[in-house]
Amino acid sequence: MALRKVLDMEHYEKELRRKSRTVEKFDQRLASLLDDMAETMYAAPGVGLAAPQVGILRKAVVIDVGEGLVELVNPQILRTEGEREWTEGCLSVPGYWGLTKRPEKVWVRAQNRNGEWFEKEGEDMFGLAMIHEIEHLDGILYVDHVIGGLQPDKADEEE
Ligand code: CO
């Protein structure tokens, strides 16, 4: 496993705005990418990471909101329910957070690292993470939805 560099908006806005391609090969290269992404996410630390954030334009994300590691390959949002406000952040927009309005609940279909399809239901932090990371695959960032502008991180201010 290896740490990968997380691209940030300031230097890589163009890359982060590109659409990722479908994963077609469920091989060792994909497994290594997912392993590296998980390691990079935990080291950050963060609760989710999408492949384009490490410069790989492939539809792969990793999430761990404290309930164990979830890998989503070629994920699609099947449907959503409800709406609520969240405070959201992103490893590609370090030092900031913002308020967003997001669905309360989401149903996702995805493949695992072996290519097997499964469905995942998510609410609260996990649902939010799935939506946030899947949007990265379409070049969308939470800053596009932010209500009232980005807020600087309090922890950073105090440093
Ligand atoms: Co993000």
Side-chain angles (χ1 to χ4, degrees), residues 87-145:
T87 56
E88 202 162 329
C90 178
L91 292 178
S92 293
V93 192
Y96 292 90
W97 60 274
L99 277 182
T100 55
K101 252 184 201 151
R102 297 287 205 176
E104 263 187 319
K105 208 165 170 184
V106 60
W107 286 263
V108 167
R109 182 174 179 261
Q111 284 167 287
N112 64 17
R113 60 167 67 197
N114 302 314
E116 293 148 0
W117 287 98
F118 63 97
E119 281 183 24
K120 204 100 191 151
E121 186 185 313
E123 50 192 335
D124 299 323
M125 188 80 155
F126 180 63
L128 174 66
M130 286 207 290
I131 292 168
H132 177 115
E133 300 312 329
I134 290 170
E135 281 193 346
H136 270 300
L137 306 178
D138 284 321
I140 301 167
L141 292 140
Y142 87 94
V143 298
D144 302 338
H145 307 287

Side-chain angles (χ1 to χ4, degrees), residues 19-146:
K19 281 189 198 295
S20 292
R21 294 182 299 272
T22 301
V23 172
E24 277 155 9
K25 282 187 193 154
F26 295 84
D27 54 7
Q28 186 51 48
R29 214 167 144 200
L30 174 66
S32 297
L33 172 65
L34 289 165
D35 288 344
D36 290 355
M37 283 170 60
E39 193 182 341
T40 305
M41 171 183 73
Y42 290 125
V47 298
L49 191 70
Q53 290 182 276
V54 293
I56 307 291
L57 291 172
R58 289 286 173 189
K59 292 185 177 174
V61 314
V62 294
I63 295 168
D64 190 341
V65 297
E67 300 164 358
L69 180 64
V70 175
E71 297 173 344
L72 304 172
V73 179
N74 298 327
Q76 306 155 2
I77 293 175
L78 297 175
R79 66 187 180 98
T80 62
E81 201 180 272
E83 192 181 63
R84 61 167 281 191
E85 260 185 19
W86 296 95
T87 56
E88 202 162 329
C90 178
L91 292 178
S92 293
V93 192
Y96 292 90
W97 60 274
L99 277 182
T100 55
K101 252 184 201 151
R102 297 287 205 176
E104 263 187 319
K105 208 165 170 184
V106 60
W107 286 263
V108 167
R109 182 174 179 261
Q111 284 167 287
N112 64 17
R113 60 167 67 197
N114 302 314
E116 293 148 0
W117 287 98
F118 63 97
E119 281 183 24
K120 204 100 191 151
E121 186 185 313
E123 50 192 335
D124 299 323
M125 188 80 155
F126 180 63
L128 174 66
M130 286 207 290
I131 292 168
H132 177 115
E133 300 312 329
I134 290 170
E135 281 193 346
H136 270 300
L137 306 178
D138 284 321
I140 301 167
L141 292 140
Y142 87 94
V143 298
D144 302 338
H145 307 287
V146 91

Side-chain angles (χ1 to χ4, degrees), residues 94-97 150-159:
Y96 292 90
W97 60 274
L150 287 177
Q151 309 296 321
D153 232 330
K154 230 179 167 186
D156 282 5
E157 269 179 1
E158 283 163 4
E159 268 170 18

